[in-house]
Amino acid sequence: MSRTLASTVRTFAITGVATFAVLGVGHAAFGLWSDTSTVTVPAFQTGTVQFAAEPHPAGSDAKQFSTGTGERLANGTPVTVTLPGPEIAKVLDGPATWRFRVSGYAQGIAGMEYDISYSGAGKGTLLAGSTMRVFPAANGDCSAVPKNQPALTDQVLQEAGANTAGAQITEEWCVSIVWNYDPDGYHLNSVTATATGEDGSISSAYDEFGALISYPVSLDPFGIHTNTAFAEGTGEDGTLARAQDNFDAVLYPDPLLEPSVPISITPHVTNITD
């Protein structure tokens, strides 16, 4: 469906905070009497369109409404829903899922499409070590995560001319985050025991056992912090005793400081005549 709203017989414009005005020009009541004459054709309202997005269930972010902007009046301003960093940090405990909704309508001969986009993960974040998929929910279910990221452009909220009453249409989207686990390893332990009997004979025994090693979700460490402890004491006889010991600790970033990810959604009004 074309996103161009200007033609010789119809013109669309988008205005308002939450609702766009869709304008058209009548071509039956106006005409040119000769090639040298001109006529100004007035515009009149034939319907409205609206588009908004919000987290689901709604969190601290308010519902965001798009408005018309720029020379291409077919395009609404992008709206943003924010995937919170604490939601991403839930990947520490297993796959994490977050949802958002888009809603709107287009009356008359207009339709509504939209594009979804988001930026890549920053280095040293949990998201950088994970696979993120954004996909439409299947009847409210987010469990069927696609193997590959589906296309996020030209999503049809409503076909042109299919909603003359202006009924609100809502679509739910899922965000799935899965940690890219290192493959489990296998550690083999072997033990050999040797003993000498009273008669001088030597007996030996051998055994082995294995252990499965898994790697938990973790950010890359900053480094190792070495701690040194000193102790000093004086005995009853006046002698001085000293002791020293070292121990190390691996330092990791705080996963609760995971940055949020903005998801931008840009609506486009389509025209049934193009």
Side-chain angles (χ1 to χ4, degrees), residues 43-59:
F44 58 91
Q45 182 167 311
T46 61
T48 58
V49 296
Q50 183 187 87
F51 187 86
E54 63 180 336
H56 175 66

Side-chain angles (χ1 to χ4, degrees), residues 133-134 145-150:
R133 294 279 185 265
V134 181
V145 181
K147 184 176 181 180
N148 298 310
Q149 174 60 58

